[in-house]
Amino acid sequence: MAETERPTGPIESWVERMISEAIERGEFDNLPGEGKPIPGIDDPPDPLWWVKQKMRRENLSVVPPSLALRKEVEDALDKAYAARSEQQIWDLLEPINKKIRAAIRVPPVGPPLNLMPIDIDRVVRRWQERRAG
């Protein structure tokens, strides 16, 4: 096998010969991304590029818990106003209120929480008004 050969002469010549032989064998044919530009080639240098790529590839994000809870409240309220019944609203919002109360007792890392428990009765009244109108 070519990998076990010992180079004789300059290493560059040996490397070039190994590449040429691999091309002749077709080892570089039909590789993923063939003919496409290299993603991010024109981006400014970033020492954490590999971390960002891995996070993007694995669909990960790093959001402070306080911001994540705010987003969860926003999404829950959207779902509550689209709910089919009052009970469904309570089922959606009561667990969120428990999380908010816990976060008020022990503030999470990150920006200030700036949340109070959701007034579920008020949300239900608004939901009823929207359905009636």
Side-chain angles (χ1 to χ4, degrees):
M1 199 171 202
E3 291 86 12
T4 59
E5 289 181 24
R6 302 241 164 129
T8 56
I11 189 81
E12 292 84 6
S13 303
W14 178 77
V15 169
E16 290 296 325
R17 187 167 45 88
M18 294 292 104
I19 292 171
S20 297
E21 289 174 6
I23 290 171
E24 288 173 16
R25 289 190 304 270
E27 293 182 22
F28 293 106
D29 295 347
N30 301 319
L31 292 174
E34 179 183 15
K36 296 179 185 172
I38 299 172
I41 190 109
D42 295 324
D43 294 348
D46 182 0
L48 294 176
W49 64 270
W50 62 275
V51 174
K52 292 175 184 173
Q53 260 186 10
K54 181 167 179 68
M55 290 180 70
R56 202 174 306 118
R57 195 171 48 246
E58 296 187 10
N59 200 22
L60 300 172
S61 67
V62 178
V63 177
S66 60
L67 294 181
L69 184 55
R70 285 190 212 171
K71 176 68 172 142
E72 194 174 345
V73 167
E74 184 180 313
D75 293 345
L77 285 170
D78 288 343
K79 289 178 184 175
Y81 288 121
R84 295 176 189 248
S85 68
E86 291 181 28
Q87 186 59 49
Q88 193 175 15
I89 294 172
W90 280 90
D91 292 344
L92 282 166
L93 299 182
E94 193 54 45
I96 299 294
N97 274 348
K98 287 180 184 176
K99 289 182 181 182
I100 293 171
R101 287 184 194 100
I104 289 170
R105 280 192 300 276
V106 180
V109 176
L113 185 61
N114 295 336
L115 283 177
M116 293 299 290
I118 300 166
D119 183 347
I120 301 175
D121 288 323
R122 185 175 172 196
V123 172
V124 168
R125 280 194 304 275
R126 285 186 180 166
W127 175 81
Q128 289 169 336
E129 290 168 4
R130 287 182 181 188
R131 288 180 58 112

